[in-house]
Amino acid sequence: MAKQLDYHTIRAMFERFHAAEPEPKGELEHVNVYTLVVAVALSAQATDAGVNKATRTLFKVADTPQKMLDLGLEGLTEHIKTIGLFRQKAKNVMKLSQILVDEYGGEVPNSRAALQSLPGVGRKTANVVLNMWWGMPTQAVDTHIFRVGNRTGICPGKDVNAVERAIEDNIPADFQHHAHHWLILHGRYTCKARKPACGTCLIRDLCPFEDKTL
């Protein structure tokens, strides 16, 4: 774990991220806030590309909680059977869809507590939805952000909650909205787990990671 970087270094890093990608986007495909919730819930321990492949046809027939209930558990399972843990995920999607219909009039609530009360929706999923749909500066810490945060010293922490707090505390306010997207994309395509591409890294000269690759 690298030591916490100073404010000026972190600001310089995010100025470079912003210059390279001013409006970073999440890679999960969705057509409304409900399908975003479903896509993020399905993405646990799965790739965004794998989820997108399965949901392209699913969301054409079930883009609301009621349509998902009408599709039924077997119909949903058939659509997402290529995704890891698909049986449990299908049950969770059906349960959360029923709750949305019964308790929220088919609408997705915009509070973290309400979102986290839905089956299969944890803090990370709630934060993704609040950030991507409602523009809140919430931070969804996944394995990529955890790795990048600790390697670079941008937001070090022993667990995901500590890294989330470090992002909120250490990254300048004007970069908070897109912070988790920049960090995810950096971890996914540059600061990779086994072979980080340090040679093409935007922030190589600012990063204290000792095991830089050529």
Side-chain angles (χ1 to χ4, degrees):
M1 182 189 299
K3 290 183 179 180
Q4 174 65 54
L5 292 177
D6 63 89
Y7 171 85
H8 296 291
T9 303
I10 293 175
R11 179 160 200 92
M13 288 177 164
F14 279 87
E15 285 174 349
R16 292 183 191 181
F17 288 144
H18 178 268
E21 186 74 54
E23 294 286 333
K25 304 293 184 185
E27 296 184 326
L28 284 172
E29 297 173 7
H30 56 283
V31 296
N32 54 34
V33 64
Y34 169 71
T35 55
L36 177 59
V37 172
V38 172
V40 180
L42 293 176
S43 72
Q45 295 179 277
T47 65
D48 287 0
V51 172
N52 290 340
K53 187 175 180 180
T55 58
R56 280 181 195 128
T57 56
L58 172 64
F59 292 157
K60 288 179 180 178
V61 295
D63 61 355
T64 69
Q66 187 58 58
K67 288 180 182 178
M68 191 68 75
L69 294 174
D70 293 342
L71 180 63
L73 180 61
E74 288 187 11
L76 170 58
T77 302
E78 188 62 27
H79 278 280
I80 67 169
K81 62 185 179 182
T82 56
I83 300 174
L85 308 175
F86 69 94
R87 294 189 190 282
Q88 184 57 50
K89 290 177 181 178
K91 292 177 183 177
N92 285 337
V93 168
M94 297 307 290
K95 289 177 183 176
L96 73 84
S97 299
Q98 190 69 62
I99 291 171
L100 290 176
V101 168
D102 293 344
E103 299 182 19
Y104 297 97
E107 300 294 325
V108 175
N110 64 348
S111 84
R112 182 188 282 135
L115 286 167
Q116 284 187 243
S117 72
L118 299 173
V121 177
R123 185 178 180 87
K124 185 181 80 170
T125 297
N127 282 349
V128 170
V129 174
L130 292 172
N131 181 283
M132 288 181 63
W133 194 260
W134 283 291
M136 298 183 189
T138 50
Q139 309 302 332
V141 179
D142 68 353
T143 55
H144 296 301
I145 292 181
F146 186 80
R147 178 177 67 256
V148 172
N150 281 293
R151 267 186 186 169
T152 62
I154 293 173
C155 44
K158 293 183 178 179
D159 56 42
V160 294
N161 291 329
V163 171
E164 182 181 331
R165 287 194 299 272
I167 293 174
E168 293 171 347
D169 290 344
N170 302 323
I171 293 175
D174 48 328
F175 294 121
Q176 285 279 332
H177 181 206
H178 291 310
H180 92 273
H181 280 130
W182 280 315
L183 292 172
I184 286 173
L185 294 171
H186 189 63
R188 186 173 288 164
Y189 297 111
T190 302
C191 196
K192 295 178 280 191
R194 294 184 181 178
K195 291 184 178 180
C198 299
T200 59
C201 178
L202 283 174
I203 58 171
R204 178 185 173 114
D205 58 313
L206 302 174
C207 174
F209 183 50
E210 294 180 357
D211 298 324
K212 287 192 176 81
T213 57
L214 295 175

